[in-house]
Amino acid sequence: MKLKSSWLLLLLVSFVLFLAACSGDGGQKTDKGATDDTESTEESSEGADESASGEKVLIFARGGDSESLDPGSTTDGESSRVTRQILEGLLEFDKESFELKPALAKDWEVSDDGLTYTFYLEEGVTFHDGTPFNAEAVKINFERWADPEHEYAFADDGFVYSMYGTMFGGYKGDEGHVIEEINVINDYEIEFKLSQPLGYFLQNLGMSYFAITSPAALEEYGPDISEHPVGTGPFKFVSWTKNDSIVLEKFEDYRVEGLPKLDKVIFQVIPDPSARLIALRSGEVDIMDDLNPDDAAVVEGEDGLTLLTRAENNFGYVGMNTEKPPLDKKEVRQAIRYAIDKQAIADALYAGYATTSKNPLPPVYLGYNDDVEDYEYNPEKAKELLAEAGYPDGFDIELVMSPTSRPYMPDPKTVAEIVQNNLAEIGINVTISSHEWAPYLELTQNGETELFILGWSGTNGDPDYFLSSLLHSSNKGSSNYTYYENPEVDDLLDRAKRAVDQDERADLYSQALEIINEDSPMVTLVHSTPVLAISDNVINYVPHPSTSESLAEVDFAN
Amino acid sequence: MSTPLLEVNGLKKYFPIRSGVFGRKTGEVKAVDDVSFSVMPGEILGIVGESGCGKSTTGKSILRLIEPTDGEVKFENRNILELSNEEMRKLRKDMQIIFQDPYASLNPRHTVEKIISEPLLVHGMKNSKERKERVRELLEVVGLSGYHATRYPHQFSGGQRQRIGIARALANNPKLIICDEPVSALDVSVQAQILNLMEELREQFNLTYIFIAHDLSVVKHISDRVGVMYLGRMVELTTKEKLYEDPKHPYTKALLSAVPEPDPDIKKERIILKGDVPNPQNPPTGCAFHTRCPLAMDICKEIRPEFAPVEDHHFVACHLYNDKQ
Amino acid sequence: MFAYVMRRLLMLIPVLFGMTLITFSIVHLIPGNPAKVILGEGAPAQAIADLEERMGLNEPLYVQYGNYIMGLLQGDLGTSLKSKGEIAQEIWPHLAATMELTFFAMLFAVIIGVNAGIISAWKQNSWFDFLAMVFALIGVSMPVFWLALMEQWIFAQELGWLPAYGRQDSRDPIAEITGFYVLDSLIHLDFERTITILKHLVLPSIALGTIPMAIIARMTRSSMLEVMKSDYIRTVRAKGGGQFLVIYKHALKNATIPVLTVIGLQTGVLLGGAILTETIFSWPGIGRYVYEAISFRDYPVIQSGILVIAFMFVIINLIVDILYKKIDPRIKY
Amino acid sequence: MKLEETNNQFQEQNLPPHDDNVMDEEETEAVSPWRDGWKQLRKNRLAIIGFAIILFFILVAIFAPLFTSYSYDQQNLADRLHPPSKEYLLGADHLGRDIFTRIAYGARVSLQVGFFAVTGALVFGSLLGILAGYFGRWIDMLISRIFDIMLAFPSILLAIAIVAILGPSLENALLAIAVVNIPIFGRLVRSRVISLREEEFIMAAKAQGMKSGRVILHHILPNSVAPIIVQATLSFGTAILEAAALGFLGLGAQPPTPEWGQMLADSREFIQLAPWTMLAPGLSIMLVVLGFNLIGDGLRDALDPRMKN
């Protein structure tokens, strides 16, 4: 008996303490709430940019956690966002575009045949673990990605470098693999020999996936490298609480004098966009990515917050499996393109932060073809085309989608509902079925879907990454989800890939886009301009179209 | 005499006791331990004993409502313990039971009509009109009225319910009815009414009863022969007259001394049994009664007395008498 | 008592075995190919086949199950496909986060529920009783996720009293010792931080604890009403003076059984509800860990996560049963 | 509050024995135990409120088209996130659909899910419970262990896993909820059967020579119905909550089906812009569940006072 009452008493006491603690603080907060709303936000964020120890700590709120911090073995944007701060590649992209800039390689040369690239490396750079950065380190990293048998490939632990395979034509021993050999000329000079020209070879090297890890760390951590990244970047890795936060701190010996400005960067996971915004407004975080476009107006109207946009680097589309009847008929596909009101989608769901698209390529890209004729919203024409194709009364069809928010499409479910509504007008009866992201991709890859909603974001600023991946027949079963096949297009894309002259490439891509527009394997919907919000006292933060930007120069005002 | 209607030989029912980590069998309660007797057609055999002595278990084991552990139950010369479930089910037409608790033994969600007509249905009376007729008839036989048929058990008093129970038992004209303390739950005034009814019915329908009770006064009223049980064993069995006039077993004597005499002038020495009924999980060795027996001898602690006739139709299990033979 | 505990532990073995069988079959029934998931968009078929072979996915099912059980017996919960990390290590912080949240939710439920129940019974048919029981009824019917959203809207967004997400101030993360942040902050003697962490606990604990709170209130009230009919209480009442405290003490003792019952029954509900609460409040707990693993088809995490949650549930029920037995030896199973 | 108002309708066993001729007047009506329960229930104010709530939602579900000039999937993008007004009683959602209309049609979905999930769980649970309870031995061992194992998993987690296997859809969510509720009914029925098996009237039925099937169907089942009905009513509420939770996680009904949980999930993004969109679906879920809980409590008091704790 004594035991029972005593534990209850203990609970009682602890709860009273708990309440007392909360109410005490709650009172304080109420005072704040009583003053002007905006003032309180400023107040708290001002107090917040310096932590108790006087450090500059930036909190970056995002929707999902990183998969892995080994940049080569993941294709996940949330991973490269973080690794971008810790590791660097030979080259990097300019702040707002895909223009190449030197990074670990201060200079480079390309042979006339486009088969030999020589890089001159920065000298005196050290990794976070104190070991020196040199040509040998570069070679080890590239060999690790290319060769599953390499001692640091960790293939037995499930490490796969699929971005390397995609960008460099496969792995060691594969027919299409372009990097034939890598020669270390001296500590600070390295040479890549290609087996065939690759129009976007340099462009690839700017991607955050091909960043250089300290070989000593690979040796030390083995497969745990995915949780202990060691690079030459402006910030050092400190800790990772899964599904919660990743903490980075300033790398004092960073190769660029005076950078980084911040002492600490914390990537905080807040899955729900509205909770993320609440946190930003209350000063709990400084930057939030993936703002719901509808909330952009809220942010713009609020003092203390600034709305930022990323440059268009993507497009969202409704894919049509060109092998499945009745979608195998070109007229049906064109009818569907006419039936969908892209403008309404852009206006309603992106709150204006999107432009309708006619090419499966963003307008800033090489080879963008502005001359193709857009399929304006025209239900009448759509009905005619349907009748022409032999479906005057429409048909039943399934539309598959995944509700996961993507940069090109913050709310796929709503898009699906609008598409369903649009197609109903021309007699096509759409059933929506939603799946989780991973099984959804598998379904579409296997060509088991009819209509589906997807999109594509650029990573290296090259049109090949869009067009070959999505529409080259050799990618059926992987990223060619529409199962589109046109030998003419294949040929144009192949030639564009190998051409070294950029004007020639642009022309080839324009021609391909013309044919694709006629064949209509997909309903291109919009190029979205992802919006994000930051606290006003964060300065020098420039969102990059690839979604990964360096935070080295970011600082707090005052 | 003709052949017995029912013969019980060496009937045993042991309930296992499980305990410990693995729920192993660590012992058993010998609820019925080697009981034998027989019942003649038209006879009323009373079985008495204190509660927990195994008399109810005996009754239910005979009907296989509880599966006996061992022994032989012969009904009209068929060993019913060897019958298949279906054969047994059919035989139940002839062997019925009236339960002790008239409140618990009637399904509270059925009308009287349904309660009484159900056994008719399961034994082949498919015509519902016929069944209705029969239910009315039975109700009147047990002293209720036809209009009671549409009511539910909770609308009746205890005595009325027991009448319903009797009507149900009678439904298929059984040969044997085991009455498991049919009146012990009732008021004394009602008890007599029910007992009288049962006697009338026996004559009317030529029934055979095994009448189980915990007090001798009730049994005296109705039985032809009486068996006395103690701790799962039969200790004495004889005709009613002999039992009441010349009880042999010390336990029977003690029981009888507790029966109130209608005539207060008759002085009677009351035998008070010392101690409690022993734990049936761990019954005393030898004669189970020796711990409480005023006449216990050394041999009683060690050897179990045989259940044997000491006179004609008078069986006793006691060393006092075994010696005399 | 010892025999009882031992028997309960032995009875656990087939249940645990069945649980592994269920988690194993769930994972193998979920459509989708783990190798493809790992390799991501656009992996060549050969690479997939190679990976399948390396992962042992080509082995017959019983071999895979055998390997799984052998691994479990050695404390190996597998490796996450997504992060490539050891699940046994990854799962602990999540588990700690959920346990802390569940604990405070239960604490809230017990303190409020027991007291409301006692006072309601004491003041039977008063306005307090009426209000408390109406609240309890509404509480039992509350969709946890809606309550969480409303709390977030009102207290975090509109009033700004309490934080909207997470376990702590992320600007100033705690140095973890046990993974239970309240405990950790107390160990650091950093009481300011304790308060911050408690503030983060308030909204999710209330969301999660409302249903058990309502059930406890109702059960305590009805068991109290029976106690109040007892002679003991009648005597105290008749005497008058200071009676409330006497009865309160008496009542607390009697509240133990309903509280234990609810803890036993509701832990599962809490652990399940945690998936929703954790998503809304960005709580890095095990519910979210498993849920995200399901959407990414991280099979080993799904398998081990579900198993760990079920295991926790089973253990808590075991403890509750043993406590029952200790409190009231008459209870038999 | 009448929660405690115990009635003794079913405790006949405890009544003192009456005189033999108490109730012999011919007029006495035959009072079935069900009717007693109903009488008791009618006196329970809270249960009546519960009935009123459920009746209201049933009417709304049936006559939904009469209440509104919109259809549940009619989009009007120009009016998206329209605040409540004359035109849109409860406002419009992110696709400019009338929330009131969607709530009304959503009542159909929720009530149907509740009904079919509970019926499914009840039928299979009772079947297994009877098998386990009546036949005992290894059948009981097997079934009871399966129940133990299923109950070891938090139900919503198990339901999520089942939906993950089958793919998200309303039907699969319903199936999952039914499956996770099977052991609840199974255990209840099993324990009922085991306690009934010892009752004398069951033994009496056997003594009459009835076959097992008849004993189960005519004697055990009818006497287990009261607690089953109570549990079914309470489970109705739980099932609706679980369906809404699955819908909230995107694992339930598919668009444009107006499922309440899913509506809540959709409106969650607009907590800043249009918080009213969250109110109606949440309140509807709560009210329906509350209604079933009130009825369940009332039924428990009326039909089966023994179940109370």
Side-chain angles (χ1 to χ4, degrees), chain D residues 60 63-72 74 87-89 97-105 108:
Chain D
V60 166
F63 299 110
L66 300 182
F67 289 119
T68 155
S69 52
Y70 300 97
S71 82
Y72 66 85
Q74 181 185 333
E87 231 171 313
Y88 300 105
L89 275 180
R97 295 175 296 197
D98 182 42
I99 293 180
F100 176 75
T101 309
R102 289 179 66 75
I103 291 282
Y105 280 91
R108 287 186 185 178

Side-chain angles (χ1 to χ4, degrees), chain C residues 231-270:
Chain C
D231 290 344
Y232 171 76
I233 296 291
R234 281 198 201 141
T235 321
V236 175
R237 274 200 137 164
K239 275 192 205 151
Q243 37 169 318
F244 184 73
L245 272 183
V246 177
I247 290 177
Y248 209 85
K249 249 177 84 185
H250 195 73
L252 277 183
K253 286 179 203 160
N254 281 284
T256 316
I257 295 263
V259 166
L260 270 183
T261 310
V262 172
I263 290 176
L265 288 174
Q266 290 289 310
T267 311
V269 180
L270 281 196

Side-chain angles (χ1 to χ4, degrees), chain A residues 309-546:
Chain A
T309 55
R310 287 186 197 282
E312 281 170 2
N313 181 33
N314 59 38
F315 80 110
Y317 66 92
V318 177
M320 297 177 272
N321 187 327
T322 55
E323 290 184 349
K324 288 246 164 112
L327 297 176
D328 55 348
K329 284 208 165 82
K330 188 167 82 182
E331 291 76 18
V332 172
R333 299 197 299 265
Q334 289 174 338
I336 291 176
R337 285 189 78 177
Y338 278 118
I340 291 173
D341 189 355
K342 294 185 283 197
Q343 193 60 49
I345 292 174
D347 290 346
L349 291 179
Y350 296 83
Y353 293 95
T355 50
T356 58
S357 71
K358 50 184 182 180
N359 283 317
L361 197 60
V364 294
Y365 271 62
L366 183 78
Y368 181 80
N369 188 342
D370 204 25
D371 299 331
V372 302
E373 199 187 333
D374 197 5
Y375 288 68
E376 298 286 350
Y377 175 57
N378 189 343
E380 290 313 313
K381 181 127 194 210
K383 274 184 202 157
E384 276 169 34
L385 280 165
L386 265 193
E388 226 172 275
Y391 296 96
D393 303 322
F395 47 84
D396 290 351
I397 201 161
E398 194 185 29
L399 170 64
V400 188
M401 56 106 196
S402 174
T404 314
S405 164
R406 313 295 295 179
Y408 47 78
M409 200 169 286
D411 188 359
K413 201 175 110 204
T414 306
V415 173
E417 290 183 89
I418 295 178
V419 167
Q420 185 183 41
N421 219 38
N422 282 158
L423 293 185
E425 283 168 30
I426 62 165
I428 299 177
N429 182 22
V430 176
T431 321
I432 297 175
S433 86
S434 84
H435 294 268
E436 297 296 347
W437 182 246
Y440 171 59
L441 274 189
E442 205 178 320
L443 272 180
T444 42
Q445 273 175 7
N446 294 345
E448 289 165 34
T449 48
E450 297 178 310
L451 293 177
F452 53 92
I453 294 184
L454 269 175
W456 198 255
S457 297
T459 46
N460 63 351
D462 194 87
D464 182 75
Y465 187 64
F466 277 80
L467 300 177
S468 284
S469 304
L470 294 172
L471 297 160
H472 194 287
S473 65
S474 66
N475 283 325
K476 278 187 190 181
S478 55
S479 55
N480 181 353
Y481 304 109
T482 55
Y483 278 64
Y484 175 66
E485 177 161 8
N486 186 329
E488 222 177 316
V489 172
D490 283 356
D491 181 53
L492 286 167
L493 293 178
D494 285 341
R495 278 161 56 200
K497 189 175 182 176
R498 292 206 192 91
V500 185
D501 178 47
Q502 299 297 328
D503 289 339
E504 185 191 344
R505 294 184 70 211
D507 186 48
L508 292 166
Y509 286 125
S510 281
Q511 290 179 41
L513 286 171
E514 189 71 43
I515 303 168
I516 292 163
N517 193 48
E518 171 66 16
D519 285 346
S520 295
M522 47 180 56
V523 187
T524 52
L525 296 174
V526 291
H527 305 291
S528 87
T529 316
V531 280
L532 58 163
I534 64 169
S535 168
D536 267 357
N537 55 348
V538 174
I539 53 173
N540 296 337
Y541 174 72
V542 183
H544 191 269
S546 71

